[in-house]
Amino acid sequence: MTSKKFAHLNWNDLRVFHAFANTDSVNSASRHLGVDNSTVSRRLLALEKSIDTMLIRRTRNGYKLTGDGIQLKSLVQEMTDGVENIQQWLKEKQTTLSGSVSISCCDISLPRLSLLIRHFQAKYPSVKFTIHATARLANMGANGVDLAIRATNHPDDSLVGICLEHFSFALAAPSSATHQDLLPWVGLNDGQQTLPSERWQGLEKLRCHSTLSTDSYLNVAQLIANGNGIGLIPEFIVRGDPLLQRFPTQSPLPEWQLWLLFQPQLRKSPVMRTFCDFLKVNWQVTHSTLNEELSPSPAC
């Protein structure tokens, strides 16, 4: 077999072979392709002749692929998958999302949310975002925000909810502190005493002789990192800050969840649907992985 013969390989014949190889039936292949049986048979014979290889064994019980036919089936399947991937890539490349998204989020979700929005806008620069960082549950709907990210173990069942993350709290201390240090307790203001961290009554909290309070977990973390005391904050904040360390506790620590919430009708919006799916897939991806995925390729 010469390379000259390969130059005349008909890709349409391979498409016919692929349809036949998936069913071992001329009738099924012809129905799938929308042509008559004789066309399928003729194209299969033409393919065998063009590559000088028997691909199909014709028996009284029907058709069977030869060993070469089985190998070619696998190769053509890879080609088909590649074409489908290219088509999907072109479709995504040609799709231009535009619109506005307003989000109400709790403070502990803001660092990760802002990072993901940056990467989302790198792909869809025509989408505009408005962020309301607040501990209060914002109004949702026509006169409110589109999406809300809330820390709760009991999301509103009238909304569509996507659980972004399960997390536990940690007893955080300055990285330079020791267990013997009698540091003040850093917590949240009186208006937030129903939150899990404030209801916790571990021995480490009870032995603190003075307290310091602020209005958000990020501020609690900053005060602890500055050496003002110890306190309960989400474990992922401690893990990501070299100025903080985790102290062991004798009492079990509370757990919480982060939920993405929105009205059911917003799934009809391409912008909302695409962004919500993006958050669901990428929320727990580490910062370094996200940066590697979207960083520019080195120059050749």
Side-chain angles (χ1 to χ4, degrees):
M1 186 164 36
T2 65
S3 59
K4 186 176 181 180
K5 282 193 173 184
F6 283 115
H8 298 288
L9 185 63
N10 190 317
W11 298 109
N12 286 327
D13 290 347
L14 290 175
R15 187 169 65 91
V16 172
F17 173 78
H18 179 255
F20 168 82
N22 284 330
T23 60
D24 286 338
S25 167
V26 171
N27 288 334
S28 297
S30 63
R31 286 195 300 270
H32 175 75
L33 297 169
V35 299
D36 55 43
N37 289 3
S38 61
T39 298
V40 172
S41 297
R42 186 171 67 254
R43 299 321 309 168
L44 291 174
L45 286 171
L47 176 61
E48 289 182 317
K49 183 177 180 180
S50 69
I51 63 175
D52 194 20
T53 302
M54 180 180 290
L55 302 172
I56 302 164
R57 183 176 294 107
R58 295 153 181 85
T59 69
R60 288 181 298 177
N61 297 325
Y63 298 90
K64 296 293 180 183
L65 293 178
T66 65
D68 287 329
I70 293 173
Q71 291 186 48
L72 183 61
K73 176 185 176 181
S74 177
L75 293 172
V76 174
Q77 183 62 55
E78 292 179 8
M79 291 172 52
T80 302
D81 292 342
V83 170
E84 291 176 353
N85 290 337
I86 292 173
Q87 290 173 335
Q88 180 63 30
W89 173 72
L90 289 173
K91 181 179 178 181
E92 293 177 356
K93 185 177 177 64
Q94 294 167 0
T95 300
T96 302
L97 283 181
S98 61
S100 300
V101 180
S102 60
I103 307 173
S104 171
C105 70
C106 54
D107 69 304
I108 58 174
S109 67
L110 184 57
R112 178 58 57 89
L113 176 63
S114 60
L115 174 70
L116 290 174
I117 286 177
R118 175 163 63 87
H119 289 302
F120 187 83
Q121 286 186 311
K123 186 173 184 180
Y124 303 108
S126 297
V127 178
K128 300 178 180 179
F129 288 88
T130 302
I131 300 175
H132 306 272
T134 174
R136 297 179 180 179
L137 183 59
N139 293 328
M140 303 187 68
N143 298 319
V145 298
D146 300 312
L147 308 172
I149 298 178
R150 283 288 169 265
T152 178
N153 288 333
H154 306 286
D156 187 341
D157 57 11
S158 68
L159 302 172
V160 176
I162 297 174
C163 185
L164 297 174
E165 185 171 4
H166 295 260
F167 65 91
S168 60
F169 282 82
L171 179 58
S175 58
S176 59
T178 68
H179 294 282
Q180 287 72 36
D181 294 336
L182 294 178
L183 297 172
W185 183 262
V186 183
L188 297 176
N189 292 335
D190 291 342
Q192 303 180 70
Q193 294 305 301
T194 59
L195 298 182
S197 60
E198 304 312 296
R199 296 200 307 267
W200 185 74
Q201 294 296 321
L203 177 63
E204 295 80 9
K205 179 179 181 180
L206 297 177
R207 73 174 187 172
C208 291
H209 298 296
S210 58
T211 62
L212 177 64
S213 62
T214 183
D215 59 355
S216 74
Y217 283 118
L218 291 184
N219 287 341
V220 171
Q222 186 62 58
L223 288 169
I224 296 173
N226 289 344
N228 290 90
I230 61 174
L232 283 195
I233 57 176
E235 190 273 337
F236 59 80
I237 297 178
V238 181
R239 189 172 1 109
D241 191 334
L243 297 179
L244 298 173
Q245 63 171 313
R246 180 174 184 168
F247 274 1
T249 62
Q250 298 182 18
S251 303
L253 292 167
E255 296 184 350
W256 233 5
Q257 300 171 350
L258 274 180
W259 285 84
L260 173 65
L261 304 170
F262 53 91
Q263 297 283 356
Q265 61 268 26
L266 285 183
R267 288 295 293 179
K268 298 178 181 179
S269 164
V271 174
M272 299 300 172
R273 184 172 61 251
T274 303
F275 182 63
C276 289
D277 290 343
F278 178 81
L279 289 184
K280 180 180 178 180
V281 170
N282 292 291
W283 187 265
Q284 296 191 52
V285 177
T286 63
H287 288 207
S288 59
T289 302
L290 274 172
N291 288 328
E292 288 171 4
E293 287 177 355
L294 296 180
S295 60
S297 301
C300 297

